[in-house]
Amino acid sequence: MESGDRRPYPLATMGNLAGKLALVTGASSGIGEAIARVLAAEGAKVVLAARNKAKLTKLQAELAGSIALELDVRDAAAVQRALEPLAIDIAVPNAGLARGVDPVQKGSPEDWAEVLDTNVKGVLHVLRAVTPGMIARKRGDVVLIGSVAGRQAYPGGNVYCASKAAVRSLYESLRYDLHDTGIRVSTVDPGMVRTPFSDVRFKGDTERAAKVYAGVDHLLAEDIADIVRFIVTRPARVNIGEVVVWSKDQASAMQVARRPV
Ligand code: NDP
Ligand code: 8X3
């Protein structure tokens, strides 16, 4: 049985981000939705970006001042068109996915393209669109969402792990690109978080997806959002760099303690 504390986080408005414009990609679900909620609770106006307009519109109705933006981060021109005119203070290019756990020799080039185009190029498209404005304004926060999978590969993780290793490398490069601009760069690398992530990975096989988390006191999307909140509400001189967040039941990407269910 899962033993974790499942009480929701308090979302009391602290107003620490009042007047800020935040962008969260992948805001229609899971970690991105939770991040959008906490940033809005802190007073930010949040641009909610993803492909599923219906989910975004529903969330927009809950978050005062937020904007629903139907956007496929793989489309470089569309990302540039939509984001370049916005004065984004906080960018969280969180949209991402995995497809399957097949070994490379049995993998699907279409799935690889989807994962790499979303998790790597999608992040780059967003950064290309929002960082020039941040540089001009001499401030901004970029919070990447990597994964423990980018630090430790696991069987069948191949392309997804590679995509998240690329995010980690991108984080390191960005620190050089942006260190003299006033922009803070961070990466949050979560372990197992129960979201629709595995449903997407297994293309709707919810039973298989549920087994990933069975008997584990897995993380919640709100746990990751709370860390993003901490990062972006530090005094301007403080740049939290890399945060690795494990479930207490996880020793590594592969080694997970499970209780009988
Ligand atoms: P979800 O499946 O719940 O959310 C993924 C989000 O990405 C959705 O909002 C989806 O929206 C969006 N998305 C996918 N493709 C695109 C695209 N081409 N353009 C725009 N948006 C897109 O999964 P999570 O919340 O768990 O995943 C969020 C991030 O966290 C990912 O980068 C993932 O790799 C990372 N992560 C997840 C972990 C976990 O255990 N869950 C652990 C470590 C990292 P829509 O379909 O509407 O476009
Ligand atoms: C998602 C976490 O371990 O399922 O990044 O790859 S894992």
Side-chain angles (χ1 to χ4, degrees), residues 4-20:
D5 183 349
R6 289 286 177 269
R7 283 174 300 180
Y9 279 77
L11 285 180
T13 302
M14 302 299 291
N16 289 314
L17 300 176
K20 303 261 188 191

Side-chain angles (χ1 to χ4, degrees), residues 146-149 154 160 164 190-193 197-198 201 212-213 250 253:
S147 170
V148 297
Y154 52 81
Y160 177 70
K164 289 299 180 177
M192 296 170 79
V193 188
F197 176 86
S198 293
R201 173 172 232 165
V212 172
Y213 310 102
Q250 257 193 302

Side-chain angles (χ1 to χ4, degrees), residues 37-259:
R37 287 182 185 281
V38 300
L39 297 184
E42 287 286 1
K45 188 170 170 171
V46 187
V47 179
L48 311 164
R51 295 165 301 176
N52 189 320
K53 186 71 192 285
K55 285 190 186 169
L56 295 177
T57 305
K58 194 161 170 274
L59 184 60
Q60 178 192 22
E62 286 183 52
L63 304 182
S66 64
I67 299 158
L69 177 63
E70 188 178 351
L71 188 66
D72 186 329
V73 296
R74 294 171 296 179
D75 184 339
V79 171
Q80 190 69 25
R81 232 180 1 255
L83 301 183
E84 196 258 327
L86 304 177
I88 302 292
D89 297 298
I90 300 166
V92 189
N94 151 85
L97 79 170
R99 288 298 194 191
V101 284
D102 283 336
V104 167
Q105 60 273 26
K106 291 184 180 164
S108 146
E110 290 76 29
D111 286 350
W112 299 344
E114 186 182 20
V115 170
L116 294 171
D117 288 353
T118 308
N119 298 8
V120 184
K121 287 165 75 180
V123 173
L124 287 166
H125 297 155
V126 169
L127 294 171
R128 183 68 186 87
V130 304
T131 50
M134 290 180 173
I135 292 167
R137 293 186 297 279
K138 299 186 173 60
R139 62 164 200 275
D141 280 299
V142 171
V143 184
L144 303 181
I145 304 298
S147 170
V148 297
R151 294 169 176 261
Q152 303 171 342
Y154 52 81
N158 46 64
V159 172
Y160 177 70
C161 294
S163 77
K164 289 299 180 177
V167 171
R168 179 164 163 68
S169 183
L170 192 53
Y171 156 75
E172 291 179 1
S173 289
L174 279 173
R175 296 199 62 83
Y176 292 109
D177 292 347
L178 300 174
H179 76 280
D180 56 355
T181 65
I183 301 173
R184 302 188 293 191
V185 183
S186 311
T187 186
V188 180
D189 293 353
M192 296 170 79
V193 188
R194 182 82 190 251
T195 68
F197 176 86
S198 293
D199 299 306
V200 172
R201 173 172 232 165
F202 298 122
K203 300 186 175 174
D205 185 343
T206 50
E207 214 169 296
R208 190 171 180 195
K211 283 189 186 145
V212 172
Y213 310 102
V216 181
D217 199 6
H218 54 74
L219 296 165
L220 302 181
E222 288 76 8
D223 300 324
I224 308 308
D226 194 43
I227 288 159
V228 173
R229 179 218 301 256
F230 180 79
I231 288 171
V232 299
T233 56
R234 290 314 86 206
R237 67 183 174 280
V238 180
N239 182 178
I240 306 291
E242 306 165 46
V243 183
V244 184
V245 197
W246 298 96
S247 144
K248 72 174 190 325
D249 289 346
Q250 257 193 302
S252 72
M254 275 305 290
Q255 196 159 5
V256 182
R258 292 181 194 272
R259 288 158 198 81

